[in-house]
Amino acid sequence: MSAPVALVVGAGDYIGAAIARRFARGGYTLCLARRNGDKLAPLIDEIAAAGGTAHGYTMDARREDSTAEVFARIEVEVGPLDVVIFNVGGNVRFPVAETTERVFRKVWEMACFAGFLTGREAARHMVPRGRGCIFFTGASASMRGNAGYAAFGAAKAGLRSFAQSLAREVGPAGIHVAHLVIDAGVDTAFVRERIAAAGGDPDAMPPDTLMNPDSVAEAYWALHQQTRDGWTFELDLRPFAEKW
């Protein structure tokens, strides 16, 4: 029997890569998509060196044609998709008065509209088969808007609402839809640069203050293992020291 297939949309260097490694260890064939597909080569090689299989795709998740084409190619060339994880970000900080129309639209396209396109294409392929998982990466902004994050908050809240609607629509058809709220700073170069720019020292922070991308990956793996008599729609993760 062929291995089950998982697609990570937004397979970046941290959370997306960690998810890919975890599912590869679980026996999945990985399909990895990001806007600059050439950047996927090191991760594909790493998975192959560990005995797994991964395929890379250049995909602009904000474009309907690009998204539909990649889904169609995977279904024909690799196999039926069992898991689709949307992990596109868009976390930028701008005061409202300095948020241009272009910034707001671009963030919405990345963090919300692209999630709609990914979720729709996944549902179109999975519903006729009566099985599959569609997961979305959310953030603190999914739950509450904060000063300086109007664009990101609006987009992530929209993604959460779309995920709820999708879950209610396709859940009865056997599709597990889940939304993962990452209420934390994740240990990435981007977050460390922000901490340093604000005058902090990320290396001086207590252990486990920042979330390890592998912890996010394990949460997704656990969601995928759930039986349908006990599906979780929303799971929120945060380090022990995070205020909430």
Side-chain angles (χ1 to χ4, degrees), residues 64-90:
E64 184 176 41
D65 57 347
S66 180
T67 301
E69 178 187 5
V70 168
F71 270 83
R73 284 183 58 193
I74 292 170
E75 289 276 331
V76 171
E77 299 172 2
V78 182
L81 283 160
D82 295 275
V83 183
V84 173
I85 298 175
F86 177 79
N87 184 59
V88 177

Side-chain angles (χ1 to χ4, degrees), residues 192 195-196 199-205:
R192 285 177 170 269
I195 293 171
D201 181 0
D203 293 325
M205 299 174 70

